[in-house]
């Protein structure tokens, strides 16, 4: 009974704890006048990005309300840290010099002990002993030797965590989940190789060294969730091989639900991954009747209000990008500085391509667009919208000889957001009435452009 009450208290505190998180800082001899912060409240909704200016005393401050633990990135120029845990009611102050970032980094205030732990953890397991480099070398060793190395490393890192004083219980449990998830994920990736196709799901699970963790800890942990997501993808692949066909979306989600295990994979964790999968389906295909049904089923059974609200909003927005919905208006300047508006092309079929010079698939697809553009040069307006900075954009347009109308969005433009751009390349077809002509545009590389040609021909034939 005592154990049950203690666990109940812990679950209640992690699930319902609310408070203000505060971060302030001072930069000695700054080389830039801003810091960049990315906040991850959960692993389904979008991350939040903040650009915070320094005041005349070279100081900055940031605050936000938190319902439970979250993760934060902090960057100043090209230095910073990634995925550090924060808690409600933390009030952390930091000081550093850009010339000697890690050695000068100083944390004080409530909750600062956890960030001091991260700096020591980095020194011990990344600087003095490069674990990732050693893991990469040993990944070529026999499976048993490699797994023993990972388990020993996990024990060492957990021991270091346990011996670090003044850390909150919630942080220790959350960080423990991250360490376990990160180390066991190496095993999952290793077992994804063809050599281990004959391993059953049960044998794979039994090879993982996982300790019992509270439901909410599993669900909120970055690395534990990543490990579970990769494990489920591995099981989906194994099931597809056995059935000799790809699993449907419904079959994939059912497989995830069936993995429930009181100790290893909680209902809260399964809800997180299911919501994440549904989010990806919506982004990949927009909202289809099949996906709508899956979302509706999730909304009826889920207990997580944040996931439900996010997916409801995601579905509503996706419908505004579906076939028949009005295309989002925009005004942008072309490469000659002339303002171009989407409404200028009302009565014409328009093809939109969101891209960037650093995006390999974008550049790859473009070579197939030459045939498409040549075939429809008198019937379709081809518009490329770059996410590059101006110098990179101009250089890329010239280097790749990108024909059509070339536009660019700057950092403050809302066009990418209004079109729901979460990854590139992203393509849209707009009909003569100014509406989205299809819900999902074929990639130019599909069938070397022929699939897209057939899709455009069908749109042009509409009355």
């Amino acid at each position: 009974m005592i154990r049950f009450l203690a666990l109940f208290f812990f679950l209640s505190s992690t699930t319902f704890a609310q408070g203000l998180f505060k971060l302030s800082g001072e930069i000695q001899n700054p080389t830039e006048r801003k810091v960049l912060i990315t906040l991850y409240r959960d692993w389904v909704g979008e991350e939040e990005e903040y650009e915070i200016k320094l005041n005349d005393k070279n100081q900055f401050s940031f605050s936000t309300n938190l319902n439970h633990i979250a993760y934060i990135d902090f960057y100043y120029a090209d230095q910073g840290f990634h995925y550090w845990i924060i808690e409600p009611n933390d009030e952390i102050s930091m000081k550093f010099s850009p010339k000697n970032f890690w050695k000068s980094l100083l944390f004080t205030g409530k909750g600062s002990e956890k960030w001091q732990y991260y700096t020591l953890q980095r020194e011990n397991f990344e600087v003095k002993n490069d674990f990732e480099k050693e893991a990469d070398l040993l990944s070529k060793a026999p499976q048993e030797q490699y797994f023993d190395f990972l388990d020993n490393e996990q024990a060492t890192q957990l021991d270091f965590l346990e011996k670090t004083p003044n850390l909150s219980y919630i942080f220790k449990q959350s960080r423990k989940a991250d360490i376990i998830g990160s180390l066991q994920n190496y095993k999952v990736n290793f077992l994804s190789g063809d050599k281990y196709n004959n391993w059953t799901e049960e044998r794979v699970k039994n090879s993982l060294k996982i300790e019992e963790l509270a439901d909410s800890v599993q669900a909120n942990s970055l690395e534990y969730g990543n490990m579970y997501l990769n494990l489920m993808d591995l099981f989906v692949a194994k099931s597809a091989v056995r059935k000799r066909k790809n699993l449907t979306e419904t079959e994939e989600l059912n497989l995830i639900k069936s993995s429930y295990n009181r100790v290893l994979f909680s209902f809260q964790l399964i809800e997180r991954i299911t919501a994440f999968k549904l989010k990806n389906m919506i982004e990949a295909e927009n909202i289809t009747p099949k996906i709508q049904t899956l979302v509706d089923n999730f909304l009826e059974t889920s207990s997580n209000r944040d996931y439900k609200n996010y997916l409801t909003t995601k579905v509503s927005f996706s419908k505004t990008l579906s076939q028949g919905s009005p295309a989002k208006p925009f005004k942008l300047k072309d490469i000659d500085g002339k303002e171009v508006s989407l409404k200028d092309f009302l009565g014409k079929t328009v093809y939109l391509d969101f891209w960037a010079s650093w995006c390999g698939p974008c550049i790859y697809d473009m070579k197939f667009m030459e045939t498409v553009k040549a075939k429809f040069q008198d019937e379709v307006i081809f518009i490329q919208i770059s996410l590059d900075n101006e110098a990179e954009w101009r250089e890329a347009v010239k280097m790749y000889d990108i024909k059509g109308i070339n536009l660019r969005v700057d950092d403050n433009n809302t066009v990418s957001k209004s079109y729901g751009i979460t990854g590139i390349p992203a393509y849209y077809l707009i009909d003569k009435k100014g509406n989205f002509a299809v819900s999902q545009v074929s990639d130019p590389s599909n069938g070397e452009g022929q699939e897209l040609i057939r899709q455009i021909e069908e749109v042009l034939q509409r009355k």
Side-chain angles (χ1 to χ4, degrees), residues 351-354 361-362 365-366 425-429 440-444:
Y351 176 89
L352 292 183
D353 171 5
F354 287 84
C362 300
D365 274 359
M366 281 184 180
Y427 307 113
Y428 299 87
L429 261 178
Q440 191 68 32
V441 179
S442 177
D443 290 345

Side-chain angles (χ1 to χ4, degrees), residues 20-23 52 61-65:
L20 191 66
F21 167 79
K22 296 180 180 179
L23 175 64
I52 302 170
S61 63
F62 169 77
S63 64
T64 186
N65 280 306

Side-chain angles (χ1 to χ4, degrees), residues 281-437:
M281 290 176 193
I282 295 168
E283 290 178 351
E285 303 179 41
N286 280 334
I287 193 68
T288 65
K290 183 183 292 185
I291 294 174
Q292 181 70 68
T293 298
L294 294 174
V295 172
D296 290 342
N297 290 340
F298 179 84
L299 297 178
E300 288 177 6
T301 58
S302 174
S303 60
N304 189 299
R305 185 180 302 173
D306 291 339
Y307 298 165
K308 292 168 73 171
N309 290 341
Y310 177 77
L311 287 175
T312 299
T313 302
K314 193 81 173 173
V315 167
S316 296
F317 179 75
S318 179
K319 288 178 179 178
T320 71
L321 300 174
S322 297
Q323 182 175 335
S325 298
K328 314 291 184 175
F330 60 77
K331 287 184 180 180
L332 296 168
K333 290 184 178 180
D334 69 10
I335 205 156
D336 296 319
K338 178 184 175 183
E339 190 173 77
V340 175
S341 172
L342 180 61
K343 71 178 182 180
D344 296 340
F345 307 108
L346 197 60
K348 295 279 189 178
T349 299
V350 178
Y351 176 89
L352 292 183
D353 171 5
F354 287 84
W355 70 287
S357 62
W358 43 262
C359 167
C362 300
I363 304 304
Y364 177 74
D365 274 359
M366 281 184 180
K367 68 180 183 180
F368 300 101
M369 282 303 298
E370 295 177 9
T371 301
V372 180
K373 289 179 179 180
K375 182 172 181 62
F376 298 109
Q377 60 182 340
D378 298 325
E379 301 173 279
V380 177
I381 305 297
F382 292 94
I383 301 177
Q384 293 81 213
I385 301 179
S386 173
L387 277 59
D388 286 306
N389 64 42
E390 186 166 0
E392 291 169 340
W393 170 52
R394 290 182 177 278
E395 182 180 356
V397 170
K398 182 178 180 181
M399 179 185 299
Y400 299 110
D401 190 25
I402 304 173
K403 297 178 174 61
I405 298 171
N406 286 289
L407 310 177
R408 186 183 74 87
V409 294
D410 59 32
D411 293 339
N412 299 317
N413 200 288
T414 60
V415 175
S416 298
K417 185 175 181 179
S418 69
Y419 274 80
I421 305 300
T422 56
I424 53 175
Y427 307 113
Y428 299 87
L429 261 178
I430 301 168
D431 64 23
K432 296 176 183 179
K433 297 178 181 179
N435 298 326
F436 289 112

Side-chain angles (χ1 to χ4, degrees), residues 42-81:
D42 62 55
W43 305 107
V44 176
E46 307 296 338
E47 65 269 19
E48 302 168 19
E49 296 183 343
Y50 301 91
E51 181 179 292
I52 302 170
K53 304 290 186 182
L54 302 187
N55 63 20
D56 55 5
K57 295 181 180 180
N58 301 327
Q59 299 170 333
F60 66 88
S61 63
F62 169 77
S63 64
T64 186
N65 280 306
L66 297 179
N67 293 327
H68 46 66
I69 72 155
Y71 289 72
I72 196 170
D73 297 345
F74 176 90
Y75 279 95
Y76 179 80
D78 60 348
Q79 302 183 92
F81 44 83

